[in-house]
Amino acid sequence: MARGKSEERIDQIIDATIRCIVEKGYENLTMQAISEYSGLSKGAINHYFKRKEDILVAVLKGFDRKLFKLVDDKVRNASDVKDHMRFRLRITFDLAKNDPIFMYLITDFLALAMNNPIHGEGIKKFLKKYRYLASLGLRPGLKEGLYRDVNPESIGAIVLGMIIGIGVQWILAKDDSDFAFDEVAKMIEDMIMLYLEKKD
């Protein structure tokens, strides 16, 4: 099915925003920079997005779809129900490590949410969705009685908090010499799995 001109323009603006963040840094992201990267006038961009924050919401939604797809594709390959939780943890940590833009956006919206009720409501919806996503790997194991009886949403909140926490440290550190991301992520994974383990 052919894509409409509007969809193509929106994708062009979102792609330009991501390239701008990657090449110039998040702190240098402006509507003018997005205009230069996209090859569109600021007026054309304003036709689709009134503010820079609106573009960032669209970028965040794109990461949101990417995360769900990555997780679902990986979990389909899980041979054991216990693998579901580990796969979901690993993929989410991988996204935090390999897509720093995702972490920039999350932290920016957390800051905006403190002062802006509109962004506050939006970020609450994203966080609720991420808590739910983090809990999905737990549910099959709970259903089969493999884990202790826990509230999946609470585990989702813990996982999300840890992802944001190490993700922020990672984007500030820039590389493994300043922060051992993989080691920390593995320790978190092991601690969560140990906590979930059903004791006889």
Side-chain angles (χ1 to χ4, degrees), residues 56-80:
L56 296 177
V57 168
V59 173
L60 191 56
K61 284 180 179 176
F63 278 111
D64 189 43
R65 287 189 298 274
K66 178 182 177 181
L67 179 59
F68 271 88
K69 184 176 180 342
L70 279 171
V71 170
D72 287 343
D73 288 349
K74 192 76 170 180
V75 168
R76 275 192 210 102
N77 297 324
S79 57
D80 187 331

Side-chain angles (χ1 to χ4, degrees), residues 3-19 34 37-41 44-52 54-62 65:
R3 288 166 46 78
K5 193 74 165 172
S6 292
E7 290 174 308
E8 289 175 6
R9 286 278 189 255
I10 289 168
D11 286 348
Q12 186 177 354
I13 294 164
I14 290 170
D15 290 345
T17 302
I18 292 170
R19 281 189 292 114
I34 295 167
Y37 272 77
S38 67
L40 300 171
S41 69
I45 293 170
N46 283 329
H47 177 73
Y48 301 103
F49 300 101
K50 298 301 178 204
R51 300 167 302 155
K52 178 177 80 171
D54 297 330
I55 302 172
L56 296 177
V57 168
V59 173
L60 191 56
K61 284 180 179 176
R65 287 189 298 274

Side-chain angles (χ1 to χ4, degrees), residues 75 78 80-89 136-138 140:
V75 168
D80 187 331
V81 171
K82 279 193 173 181
D83 289 340
H84 286 218
M85 190 65 186
R86 281 199 183 270
F87 281 160
R88 286 182 187 275
L89 288 168
L136 285 179
L138 178 65

Side-chain angles (χ1 to χ4, degrees), residues 116-143:
N116 185 320
I118 294 169
H119 290 298
E121 286 306 309
I123 198 66
K124 279 198 288 189
K125 287 179 184 174
F126 277 117
L127 294 175
K128 183 176 181 179
K129 189 186 286 187
Y130 293 139
R131 286 194 300 269
Y132 175 73
L133 176 63
S135 76
L136 285 179
L138 178 65
R139 293 173 192 270
L142 280 174
K143 189 176 178 181

